[in-house]
């Protein structure tokens, strides 16, 4: 039969087409996975690798009476420092923190920083260091004969512990990490209670009327507003209009002459606003998932609405609420643009002391380092990215563990 | 004998409970706060934008008066330094506003005491300020953005934003859709459960890290492929491709959810009629999930338009009106970040301009988000 022939002659073509497109679909998926691998590889590539280090003064020449530098006691170290730097600089260090209060380690660090002053004259990526180590060594020996070649992990203990610095050799992320933790804490303190309360209202109390529908639509739309818009809003409201409060002047804790609203408090509240819709939406989902039989049982025993919510709905929804909140926070911790707009300081060397301090955060630090023209700062940015990803990974793991624990206990 | 029932006063009536009422009001206020946030955004952006468009901005010209003038003088000797003014410009001298009529032999011939200001004597050395009037028409038609030179065309910024978003969608839409179809129609549940989280990790990486990726990986890659002379160090192509990777999980996850939600019976009916797997996926399941996929794409576009850190790092710092994706061009978000990076002084031209650009950005993304919700409602196929 002709139709049957037509059908069977057509069939192999249709199947062939199906196989071709299957390959296309698989390739698309592979491209996505490859992109993720490239992203991770790129960060690792910048975070490890050979560096050529050149000392201004060889530490061996600083030995006193044959005792190497690192074994000297504090007083001798101070003498070594005094002999090698200007009196003005010495006086400034004394002013920053009297030498009587510094321990030998701190003085030793100062000598390393100011006198030995190791400088990174060249650096290579991890890929080059692994595949082409011989050539890297040859280049280093030829172009920087006085330098020594080290394999360096840009993410190291010193990097985590040291404050920001304009010298890449001693720069670290301590101030940035503390700034991030401070802003995030304030954001959570603000957004979590308000967000959960709003979710409870919308899910448990709100009658289906115009205003509640507007609130619900509004929250959905707020979740889609670009983060930089929140930054602009934060600049106008928290930094400028409420500057007296966010700078701490109104509470008399800061000096009115120098303080302004570009503080941790402003940043935290801005981030809080940013994550509020996310927390509300997640908490609503969690509350929605609580079976209504629980509520009815509670009402049946004579509990009021609030008692039902407080004793039955919230405890049952808490796992979902916590998971949603942690995911919202991990969004906030990586936010950069809004904080740049509200004016996070780019160069901060002292630890933030409280909500009214100036601050910088980890993503801003990565941005600053990446934007610099010197390639050595790109390596620092790679190391800082690893720290940020580590922080995020910890938070997400916490979210998963929390979810599993609550699920088991129910 | 039964004693007559004494009605316990109000025992069956609902007692007003004060604490319940207070708690309910507090919860309502928390819900209302989100309205305040939106109102705050619209009010602040609108107010500062109106200031930007409705007020003459005074810009220092660095041009001092060469000789002292009395209130009656109409010719002002000016030095050769600084930005020259054009006839018709408004100039401000120590608070007095004058209009420049002509320039004769290097001296400004002016109309004194314009705009309700009084002519006054001015000493030599006072620096002239030039009045700049940003107009809405110029904002949308001008092709140069240089506020300090009095040019307020937002088109270069808008063009760069649209170009970056366009490239991003060109990358994310085919990849995301193909991934979603594979995961929902072909992959085994086990493969799906391992691959989906991998893509979601992509969504969790902070955008600043993507910026680092664009600048240190994608740009060198593009420069190797297309040549160092063709591709500039900062270019919109690199930023666009990386934003495409950034929104890829958004497109694929939401699309996959929409595809999975299509009932099994539809697929089985298609198989029963002799359709191949591809035909079922593309002709039956895809149209049925259209509303969800369209919404995903629109949300992804809105996300790409608002994305900031990747363009701030990789697309270039300086507005440029170009259609070449290998050249540097600053987007709206990139401009806001660069301008506000320093200590921005309030009520300055720059301060007001970021609100005007921000308002435009907000409206663009808001329209897209509302449109995506509309599509979901309007075109959703409900199967029961």
């Amino acid at each position: 039969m002709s139709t049957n022939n037509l059908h069977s002659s057509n069939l192999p073509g249709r199947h062939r087409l199906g196989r071709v497109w299957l390959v296309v679909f698989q390739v698309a998926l592979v491209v996505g996975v490859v992109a993720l691998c490239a992203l991770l590889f790129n960060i690792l590539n910048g975070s490890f690798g050979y560096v050529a280090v050149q000392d201004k003064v060889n530490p061996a020449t600083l030995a006193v009476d044959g005792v190497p530098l690192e074994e000297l006691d504090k007083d001798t170290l101070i003498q070594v420092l005094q002999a090698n730097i200007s009196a003005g600089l010495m006086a400034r260090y004394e002013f920053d923190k009297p030498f009587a209060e510094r321990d030998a380690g701190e003085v030793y660090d100062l000598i390393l920083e100011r006198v030995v002053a190791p400088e990174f004259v060249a650096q290579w990526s991890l890929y080059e260091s692994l595949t082409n180590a011989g050539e890297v060594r040859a280049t280093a020996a030829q172009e920087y004969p006085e330098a020594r070649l080290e394999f360096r992990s840009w993410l190291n203990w010193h990097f985590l512990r040291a404050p920001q610095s304009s010298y890449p050799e001693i720069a670290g992320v301590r101030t940035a990490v503390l700034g991030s933790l401070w802003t995030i804490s304030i954001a959570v303190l603000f957004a979590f209670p308000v967000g959960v309360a709003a979710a409870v209202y919308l899910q448990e109390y709100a009658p289906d009327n115009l205003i509640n529908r507007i609130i619900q639509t509004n929250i959905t739309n707020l979740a889609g507003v670009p983060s930089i818009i929140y930054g602009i809003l934060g600049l106008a409201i928290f930094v400028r209009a409420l500057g007296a409060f966010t700078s701490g002047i109104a509470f008399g804790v800061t000096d009115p002459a120098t303080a302004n609203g570009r503080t941790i408090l402003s940043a935290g509240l801005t981030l809080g606003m940013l994550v509020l819709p996310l927390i509300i939406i997640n908490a609503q989902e969690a509350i929605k998932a609580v079976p209504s039989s629980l509520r009815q049982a509670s009402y049946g025993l004579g509990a009021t609405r609030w008692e039902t919510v407080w004793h039955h709905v919230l405890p049952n929804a808490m796992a979902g609420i916590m998971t949603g909140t942690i995911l919202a926070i991990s969004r906030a911790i990586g936010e950069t643009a809004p904080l740049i707009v509200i004016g996070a300081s780019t160069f901060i060397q002292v630890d933030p002391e409280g909500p009214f301090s100036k601050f910088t955060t980890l993503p801003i630090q990565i941005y600053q380092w990446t934007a610099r023209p010197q390639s050595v700062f790109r390596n620092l940015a790679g190391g800082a990215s690893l720290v940020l990803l580590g922080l995020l990974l910890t938070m997400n793991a916490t979210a998963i563990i929390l979810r599993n624990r609550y699920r088991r206990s129910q | 004998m039964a004693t007559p029932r004494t009605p316990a006063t109000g025992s069956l009536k609902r007692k007003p409970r004060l604490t319940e009422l207070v708690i309910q009001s507090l919860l309502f206020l928390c819900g209302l706060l989100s309205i305040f946030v939106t109102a705050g955004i619209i009010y602040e952006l609108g107010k500062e934008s109106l200031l930007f468009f409705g007020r003459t901005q005074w810009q220092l010209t660095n041009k001092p008066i060469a000789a002292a003038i009395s209130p009656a003088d109409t010719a002002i000797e000016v030095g050769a330094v600084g930005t020259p003014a054009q006839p018709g410009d408004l100039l401000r001298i120590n608070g007095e506003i004058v209009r420049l009529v002509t320039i004769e032999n290097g001296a400004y011939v002016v109309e004194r005491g314009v705009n309700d200001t009084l002519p006054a004597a001015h000493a030599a050395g006072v620096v002239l300020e030039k009045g700049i009037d940003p107009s809405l028409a110029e904002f949308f038609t001008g092709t140069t953005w240089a506020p300090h030179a009095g040019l307020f065309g937002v088109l270069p910024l808008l063009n760069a934003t649209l170009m970056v978003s366009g490239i991003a969608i060109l990358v994310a839409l085919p990849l995301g859709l193909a991934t979603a179809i594979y995961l929902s129609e072909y992959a085994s549940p086990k493969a799906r459960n391992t691959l989906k989280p991998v893509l979601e990790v992509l969504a969790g990486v902070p955008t600043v890290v993507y910026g680092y990726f664009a600048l240190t990986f994608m740009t060198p890659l593009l420069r190797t492929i297309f040549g160092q002379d063709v591709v500039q160090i900062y270019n919109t192509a690199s930023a666009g491709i990386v934003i495409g990777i950034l929104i890829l999980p958004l497109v694929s996850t939401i699309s996959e959810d929409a595809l999975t939600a299509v009932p099994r019976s539809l697929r089985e009916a298609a198989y029963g009629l002799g359709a191949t797997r591809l035909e079922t996926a593309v002709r039956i399941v895809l149209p049925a999930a259209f509303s969800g996929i369209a919404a995903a794409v629109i949300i992804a576009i809105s996300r790409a338009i608002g994305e900031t850190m990747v363009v701030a790092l990789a697309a270039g710092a300086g507005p440029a009106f170009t259609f070449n994706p290998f050249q540097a061009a600053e987007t709206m978000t990139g401009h806001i970040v660069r301008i506000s990076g320093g200590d921005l002084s309030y009520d300055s031209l720059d301060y007001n301009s970021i609100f005007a650009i921000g308002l435009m950005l907000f409206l663009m993304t808001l329209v897209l988000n509302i449109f995506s919700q509309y599509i979901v409602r309007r075109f959703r196929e409900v199967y029961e």
Side-chain angles (χ1 to χ4, degrees):
Chain A
M1 262 171 33
S2 62
T3 41
N4 202 5
N5 281 343
L6 195 67
H7 175 73
S8 39
S9 64
N10 198 8
L11 199 56
R14 285 164 65 201
H15 278 296
R16 206 161 39 239
L17 196 67
R19 279 195 299 276
V20 169
W21 276 97
L22 174 59
V23 173
V24 171
F25 295 151
Q26 282 168 332
V27 166
L29 181 69
V30 169
V31 168
V33 176
V34 165
L36 179 64
C37 295
L39 186 71
L40 296 179
F41 163 77
N42 183 52
I43 295 169
L44 292 176
N45 199 26
S47 313
F48 302 94
Y50 280 117
V51 284
V53 190
Q54 197 162 341
D55 294 335
K56 208 159 87 188
V57 174
N58 188 346
T61 62
L62 294 174
V64 179
D65 304 331
V67 183
L69 193 62
E70 50 266 43
E71 288 168 25
L72 292 174
D73 59 37
K74 182 181 156 191
D75 293 329
T76 333
L77 282 171
I78 293 176
Q79 283 165 15
V80 170
L81 186 63
Q82 206 155 17
N84 285 287
I85 65 174
S86 69
L89 196 57
M90 201 69 191
R92 208 187 86 200
Y93 285 136
E94 176 72 29
F95 177 76
D96 285 348
K97 187 177 178 186
F99 278 100
E101 290 173 17
R102 295 175 191 251
D103 61 26
E106 287 175 68
V107 182
Y108 179 72
D109 284 345
L110 276 182
I111 294 180
L112 272 194
E113 181 189 332
R114 280 289 162 180
V115 185
V116 178
E119 192 190 342
F120 297 150
V121 286
Q123 59 283 329
W124 290 268
S125 68
L126 178 65
Y127 181 73
E128 286 171 309
S129 305
L130 290 182
T131 57
N132 222 345
E135 200 170 304
V136 168
R137 274 196 205 96
T139 320
Q142 192 189 346
E143 288 183 21
Y144 313 101
E146 285 170 27
R148 59 179 191 280
L149 198 64
E150 298 179 347
F151 189 85
R152 182 180 167 85
S153 158
W154 291 85
L155 171 67
N156 53 44
W157 182 236
H158 176 82
F159 184 67
L160 292 175
R161 218 166 39 101
Q164 192 179 2
S165 164
S166 49
Y167 299 99
E169 294 78 14
I170 54 166
V173 289
R174 173 205 178 97
T175 39
V177 170
L178 287 174
S180 275
L181 295 179
W182 264 106
T183 47
I184 286 302
S185 313
I186 288 176
V188 173
L189 282 180
F190 163 65
F192 181 72
V194 174
V196 174
V200 166
Y201 173 76
L202 287 173
Q203 227 37 61
E204 299 288 319
Y205 286 86
D208 186 23
N209 59 21
L210 184 67
I211 178 141
N212 294 323
R213 275 203 299 275
I214 290 177
I215 292 179
Q216 189 68 63
T217 315
N218 181 49
I219 288 169
T220 320
N221 282 327
L222 273 183
V225 171
S227 59
I228 194 164
I229 301 289
Y230 285 98
I232 296 179
L233 183 65
L235 175 68
I237 292 186
F238 298 128
V239 176
R240 194 178 176 193
L242 300 177
F245 297 99
T246 52
S247 63
I249 294 171
F251 308 106
V253 290
T254 47
D255 178 11
T258 54
N260 62 34
R262 301 174 195 272
T263 57
I264 285 181
L265 186 59
S266 297
L269 292 174
T270 306
L271 286 184
M273 269 194 327
L274 179 89
V275 296
L276 190 59
L278 303 178
I279 292 184
I280 295 177
I281 292 172
N282 286 328
Q284 271 186 286
E285 290 300 322
I287 291 172
K288 223 184 265 176
V290 175
S292 62
S293 54
L294 266 167
R295 295 188 189 88
Q296 279 150 14
S298 174
Y299 289 137
L301 289 171
T304 63
R305 204 170 222 186
W306 174 245
E307 283 162 356
T308 306
V309 167
W310 184 251
H311 292 292
H312 302 285
V313 177
L314 276 183
N316 273 288
M318 210 24 109
I321 294 176
M322 293 299 272
T323 315
T325 307
I326 292 176
L327 293 181
I329 297 168
S330 45
R331 156 101 193 268
I333 210 165
E335 278 300 345
T336 325
L339 298 187
I340 294 179
V341 174
I342 68 162
S345 304
T346 49
F347 195 76
I348 291 278
Q349 279 188 302
V350 289
D351 293 348
E353 284 163 352
F356 304 120
S357 298
K358 309 228 157 301
F359 71 103
T360 182
T361 67
L362 203 44
I364 289 178
Q365 191 69 78
I366 297 172
Y367 169 63
Q368 290 294 332
W369 276 336
T370 311
R372 289 219 191 188
Q374 303 97 318
S375 65
V376 60
F377 287 102
R378 303 268 165 86
N379 295 99
L380 288 173
S385 299
L386 274 187
V387 176
L388 183 59
L389 291 183
L391 216 56
L392 280 173
L393 203 63
T394 321
M395 293 184 63
N396 286 337
T398 319
I400 292 168
I401 291 171
L402 264 180
R403 188 169 56 194
N404 291 346
R405 173 166 296 174
Y406 269 89
R407 229 178 234 167
R408 222 177 306 135
S409 69
Q410 270 172 24
Chain B
M1 207 175 108
T3 51
R5 275 177 69 183
T6 51
T9 43
S11 68
L12 292 177
K13 270 197 200 148
R14 191 164 164 238
K15 275 184 263 166
R17 296 172 201 265
L18 191 60
T19 29
E20 287 283 315
L21 208 66
V22 169
I23 287 170
Q24 185 169 352
S25 314
L26 279 176
L27 295 176
F28 175 67
L29 280 181
C30 287
L32 209 59
L33 188 75
S34 70
I35 300 272
F36 288 137
V37 173
T38 311
I41 291 178
I42 294 171
Y43 172 74
E44 283 295 342
L45 290 178
K47 186 186 76 176
E48 301 287 342
S49 302
L50 283 181
L51 287 179
F52 178 69
F53 289 116
R55 188 170 61 187
T56 309
Q57 308 272 354
W58 294 105
Q59 201 64 49
L60 276 179
T61 57
N62 297 325
K63 204 182 234 332
I65 301 178
I69 51 170
S70 71
D73 285 341
T74 54
I76 304 174
E77 295 285 338
V78 290
V81 294
T83 331
Q86 308 293 325
D89 280 353
L90 284 183
L91 297 169
R92 190 162 72 169
I93 319 165
N94 256 354
E96 183 201 335
I97 299 173
V98 299
R99 178 175 289 115
L100 181 59
V101 183
T102 53
I103 303 173
E104 281 172 12
N105 305 329
Y108 286 0
V109 177
V110 297
E111 183 188 336
R112 300 292 301 269
V114 186
N115 291 4
D116 301 330
T117 54
L118 289 174
H122 301 293
V126 179
V127 179
L128 292 174
E129 288 170 297
K130 187 177 150 188
I132 298 169
D133 267 318
S135 76
L136 208 56
E138 196 199 342
F139 188 69
F140 286 112
T141 56
T143 54
T144 312
W145 178 265
H148 291 275
L151 296 165
F152 300 96
V154 82
L155 282 184
L157 302 176
L158 182 64
N159 176 56
T161 293
L162 294 181
M163 231 162 60
V164 168
S165 315
I167 296 170
I169 279 300
L170 279 183
V171 171
L173 179 59
L175 286 180
L177 202 52
T179 307
I181 293 177
Y182 179 79
L183 286 179
S184 108
E185 303 301 311
Y186 290 89
S188 65
K190 200 177 160 195
R192 181 162 52 228
N193 289 342
T194 41
L195 287 171
K196 232 183 143 181
V198 169
L199 285 177
E200 276 163 5
V201 169
L202 267 179
V205 175
T207 56
V208 68
V209 177
Y210 278 98
Y212 173 78
F213 177 62
L215 196 60
T216 60
F217 185 88
M218 197 51 78
T219 303
L221 187 68
L222 289 177
R223 297 191 86 191
T224 320
I225 296 173
F226 295 102
Q228 309 271 336
D229 316 326
V230 181
V231 186
Q232 295 184 352
I233 294 183
Y234 298 104
N235 61 76
T236 41
S238 166
I241 294 171
V242 170
I243 293 183
I245 297 173
L246 189 151
I247 57 176
L248 169 65
L250 198 69
V251 177
S252 70
T253 316
I254 304 183
S255 305
E256 204 257 346
D257 288 344
L259 290 170
T260 317
V262 174
R264 225 186 137 61
S265 55
L266 252 75
R267 295 187 183 87
E268 273 155 14
Y271 292 139
L273 289 170
T276 65
R277 212 166 199 180
L278 175 75
E279 286 158 358
T280 311
V282 175
R283 300 219 188 130
I284 306 295
V285 184
L286 208 58
F290 171 77
S291 71
I293 292 170
V297 172
I298 294 169
I299 292 171
I301 295 175
S302 145
R303 177 83 199 275
I305 288 176
E307 174 44 46
T308 310
M309 293 324 291
V310 177
V311 289
L313 280 168
F321 195 53
T322 170
F323 292 101
N324 183 347
F326 293 138
Q327 280 181 3
E330 196 169 48
T331 66
M332 289 155 64
T333 50
H335 184 73
I336 295 175
V337 160
R338 183 169 62 86
I339 290 299
S340 52
D343 257 355
L344 197 56
S345 45
Y346 304 137
D347 291 328
S348 63
L349 195 57
D350 282 336
Y351 182 83
N352 290 338
S353 78
I354 68 168
F355 284 84
I357 299 173
L359 179 64
M360 198 169 148
L361 192 65
F362 174 70
L363 291 179
M364 282 167 76
T365 52
L366 186 69
V367 166
L368 284 173
N369 289 341
I370 290 176
F371 186 49
S372 85
Q373 286 161 25
Y374 167 77
I375 282 190
V376 169
R377 269 202 309 275
R378 174 75 179 70
F379 294 103
R380 187 166 59 189
E381 311 259 346
V382 183
Y383 303 98
E384 278 305 327

